[in-house]
Amino acid sequence: MRRFMSLLVAILAAACTTLVSASSPGGASPLAFFRKNKKEYSPLLFFKAPKGMVPECDFVEKMVSQIEKELGVEVERFDVMRDPRARVLYDKLDTQSKQQLPLLYHRESRQSVFGLTDKNRIRAWAKGRWLSGDYKPTLPAEFFSVTEEDADELEEEMMMEDDADLTPLQRKGKEAMRERYEEDAAKAKKKRKA
């Protein structure tokens, strides 16, 4: 019985080593499905909030995606609001205690980019170049532009304010502002049509 068991163990061990050492034409092991699906190493980390929560994160996300395609690199993304492990890692990397999103971190150069920045700085970060601390980003006007929806919301907020608390002079000023706003909006609509 012992011989049979030792023979069976030897056969199983030989079969396992043969299976593991043999690889398919694609280069993957036949037992690859047993291993956990591990991501490839990327030195580039991007800490962000869920889409729509922080406009700066959404803006930087677009630029990071463009840089990924441009340079052929992979940036690993971490959602700090939803993933507690990502939050712990973020807290360890945020040595300056800025607590600011988004955060771009390069593992190999150990450089961080906090908050809103421009595409040139993200490109330099992705390449691992040295980043100066006194950099002032030049952001495109599209980030600061006010859409029609935003303008409508601002107008509604102005209308909703309680006029009872205003003095007569303040009411007069508010009315003049409202008229100017409506005139400017009408001019802008005419410009768009032309």
Side-chain angles (χ1 to χ4, degrees), residues 111-113 120-122 124-125 129-135:
Q111 295 197 62
S112 303
V113 178
N120 291 332
R121 188 150 174 99
I122 294 174
W125 164 81
R129 294 188 176 153
W130 183 254
L131 305 173
S132 64
D134 59 346
Y135 183 78

Side-chain angles (χ1 to χ4, degrees), residues 155 175-190:
E155 185 179 2
E175 199 57 42
M177 285 174 48
R178 189 175 294 143
E179 288 171 10
R180 269 186 274 145
Y181 175 77
E182 289 171 0
E183 288 172 10
D184 290 343
K187 287 178 186 176
K189 283 183 184 179
K190 287 180 184 177

Side-chain angles (χ1 to χ4, degrees), residues 67-155:
I67 296 294
E68 281 180 316
K69 291 175 189 169
E70 208 175 281
L71 300 178
V73 295
E74 186 72 29
V75 178
E76 195 171 343
R77 289 161 173 79
F78 293 96
D79 188 344
V80 176
M81 303 285 191
R82 293 184 179 156
D83 186 2
R85 284 182 248 145
R87 182 63 193 194
V88 170
L89 181 58
Y90 172 81
D91 289 337
K92 287 186 179 192
L93 294 175
D94 185 14
T95 56
Q96 300 169 352
S97 298
K98 289 192 176 187
Q99 296 295 313
Q100 186 178 8
L101 288 176
L103 165 64
L104 300 168
Y105 183 76
H106 197 291
R107 291 186 215 192
E108 292 170 0
S109 68
R110 294 186 176 181
Q111 295 197 62
S112 303
V113 178
F114 287 94
L116 195 56
T117 190
D118 63 2
K119 195 171 180 178
N120 291 332
R121 188 150 174 99
I122 294 174
R123 186 179 295 112
W125 164 81
K127 290 180 177 180
R129 294 188 176 153
W130 183 254
L131 305 173
S132 64
D134 59 346
Y135 183 78
K136 303 289 185 222
T138 53
L139 301 170
E142 68 187 44
F143 183 76
F144 299 105
S145 64
V146 178
T147 63
E148 260 186 65
E149 294 171 3
D150 293 337
D152 291 341
E153 286 178 22
L154 288 171
E155 185 179 2

Side-chain angles (χ1 to χ4, degrees), residues 34-93:
F34 285 118
R35 287 187 230 130
K36 286 188 175 181
N37 186 12
K38 290 189 176 182
K39 294 180 183 178
E40 283 188 36
Y41 170 79
S42 173
L44 309 172
L45 307 179
F46 177 34
F47 295 89
K48 62 186 189 95
K51 189 173 184 174
M53 285 186 76
V54 180
E56 290 86 356
C57 289
D58 297 340
F59 187 73
V60 171
E61 171 72 40
K62 289 177 190 173
M63 289 190 291
V64 166
S65 296
Q66 291 170 0
I67 296 294
E68 281 180 316
K69 291 175 189 169
E70 208 175 281
L71 300 178
V73 295
E74 186 72 29
V75 178
E76 195 171 343
R77 289 161 173 79
F78 293 96
D79 188 344
V80 176
M81 303 285 191
R82 293 184 179 156
D83 186 2
R85 284 182 248 145
R87 182 63 193 194
V88 170
L89 181 58
Y90 172 81
D91 289 337
K92 287 186 179 192
L93 294 175

